[in-house]
Amino acid sequence: MTSTETFTKTPGWLDFYDGPSRPRFRLPAGAVDAHCHVFGPGAVFPYAPERKYTPCDAPKEALFALRDHLGFDKNVIVQATCHGTDNRALVDALRASGGRARGVATVSRDVTDAELQAMHEAGVRGTRFNFVKRLADFTPREVLSDIAARIAPLGWHVVIYFEAQDLPELYDFFTTLPTTVVVDHMGRPDVTQPVDGPEFGLFVKMMQDHPNIWSKVSCPERLSQSGPPALNGEQHAYRDVAPFARRLVETFPDRVLWGTDWPHPNLKNHMPDDGLLVDYIPQIAPTAELQRKLLVDNPNRLYWS
Ligand SMILES: O=C(O)c1cc(C(=O)O)oc(=O)c1
């Protein structure tokens, strides 16, 4: 199956770093990289016409090699917006993983029950709603509510991606979803604001008041404003983001997930060394117990039980 289409990367696109170091931090046995993507390859799985960016290819073989290199046991692969609602690359990766990957798909309201069932059999366990305007077009709330109602009986959850300044407007929608809800990248806080300030306070309150809401404490490389990047051996990377992630890990130890976000779409100023990104974990989960919950217990409970 080869498409006739060829793709040109978005100008300025940064490719993933293909010589990651081996982390100093030893991941616990059974650790899951709970947020990563596959891109194409475009010649086999074409990028969606409605995409907002055209990435480099980042195929499943490269993802599985990274998993083994870093010391993860399993992956949760999240449908990237450049593939729209065409989940073929995701499903292909899940099927090739031998049970070592689960997925989060993006579906439209007219997805059939048979399609949902086939995705479930391949390992899909959630659907993603994207509210980041540079990544996805607006979808009316009633359409999203319909999708949530369709996937709930399968035991799937909803993954939401949004920016902190939009949370007040989205709060009521998020807190009335009928499933477990997983927030991508801590709802993208502005880390120049205080961790105890009103913006992050609203996010913490949402998790406090709604025990069905989880958060990925991922993507310091996107959120950092001034912290040193995970490059050149840096052992305390993204110091400005760590207090936000640590607050969530310590307050909600049973509802947090961590992922590399490989292949790191749309980064503009640097591409992290994924080995050093793993070395960031002890800054946000300082004890062995918190590390085990974050990396092993929580993702295995949500995706493999
Ligand atoms: O911030 C981003 O650009 C980004 C994009 C995507 C995607 O395109 O799916 O996923 C992410 O987790 C983050």
Side-chain angles (χ1 to χ4, degrees):
M1 182 191 14
T2 304
S3 118
T4 49
E5 262 180 287
T6 55
F7 294 94
T8 305
K9 291 185 277 188
T10 296
W13 184 265
L14 295 183
D15 292 359
F16 59 87
Y17 182 57
D18 68 1
S21 58
R22 217 172 271 284
R24 289 196 204 174
F25 172 61
R26 287 285 302 273
L27 290 162
V32 179
D33 176 353
H35 185 99
C36 48
H37 310 283
V38 286
F39 297 153
V44 184
F45 303 110
Y47 300 111
E50 71 274 22
R51 69 190 179 281
K52 305 289 187 219
Y53 62 86
T54 307
C56 62
D57 287 336
K60 59 183 184 290
E61 293 83 3
L63 175 65
F64 297 154
L66 181 74
R67 173 197 68 198
D68 295 345
H69 175 80
L70 298 177
F72 284 102
D73 182 38
K74 301 195 283 284
N75 295 112
V76 179
I77 308 175
V78 177
Q79 172 76 351
T81 57
C82 57
H83 279 295
T85 56
D86 178 349
N87 295 284
R88 282 177 297 166
L90 167 69
V91 165
D92 172 72
L94 298 180
R95 292 211 171 107
S97 75
R100 293 177 68 190
R102 296 285 194 242
V104 174
T106 298
V107 300
S108 62
R109 176 152 61 173
D110 51 20
V111 66
T112 66
D113 286 336
E115 285 165 340
L116 288 175
Q117 196 54 47
M119 284 192 267
H120 188 84
E121 276 157 25
V124 173
R125 294 293 179 270
T127 189
R128 191 180 198 204
F129 296 166
N130 209 314
F131 301 87
V132 177
K133 296 175 190 79
R134 72 182 158 82
L135 293 174
D137 294 327
F138 176 79
T139 308
R141 303 284 147 79
E142 61 271 19
V143 172
L144 298 176
S145 297
D146 279 2
I147 294 170
R150 294 281 309 287
I151 58 99
L154 290 160
W156 290 15
H157 57 269
V158 172
V159 171
I160 51 179
Y161 190 25
F162 62 93
E163 297 180 312
Q165 74 263 20
D166 297 325
L167 180 57
E169 199 235 313
L170 293 163
Y171 194 96
D172 290 344
F173 176 69
F174 292 162
T175 55
T176 48
L177 284 166
T179 60
T180 294
V181 175
V182 181
V183 178
D184 277 340
H185 319 325
M186 304 191 286
R188 296 193 62 108
D190 172 356
V191 300
T192 63
Q193 296 194 25
V195 69
D196 290 314
E199 188 192 85
F200 199 57
L202 183 67
F203 186 79
V204 172
K205 174 184 157 45
M206 180 169 78
M207 287 191 70
Q208 205 104 52
D209 292 351
H210 299 279
N212 63 319
I213 300 188
W214 295 41
S215 181
K216 293 178 197 163
V217 289
S218 44
C219 272
E221 74 283 7
R222 283 183 195 290
L223 303 173
S224 183
Q225 299 283 333
S226 64
L231 286 174
N232 305 319
E234 176 61 55
Q235 289 300 304
H236 294 94
Y238 312 119
R239 245 167 268 168
D240 54 343
V241 185
F244 291 79
R246 184 165 170 170
R247 174 63 56 86
L248 297 183
V249 170
E250 292 185 332
T251 313
F252 309 106
D254 299 311
R255 287 189 271 145
V256 283
L257 301 169
W258 192 86
T260 55
D261 192 39
W262 186 92
H264 310 285
N266 301 310
L267 289 186
K268 295 283 181 262
N269 60 14
H270 76 286
M271 183 51 63
D273 171 341
D274 290 280
L276 296 177
L277 207 47
V278 169
D279 287 335
Y280 166 81
I281 295 172
Q283 290 191 75
I284 65 169
T287 69
E289 189 190 359
L290 289 172
Q291 291 161 8
R292 197 196 68 240
K293 286 177 179 227
L294 174 67
L295 297 163
V296 182
D297 297 353
N298 299 344
N300 276 289
R301 194 165 78 253
L302 189 59
Y303 287 97
W304 273 272
S305 65

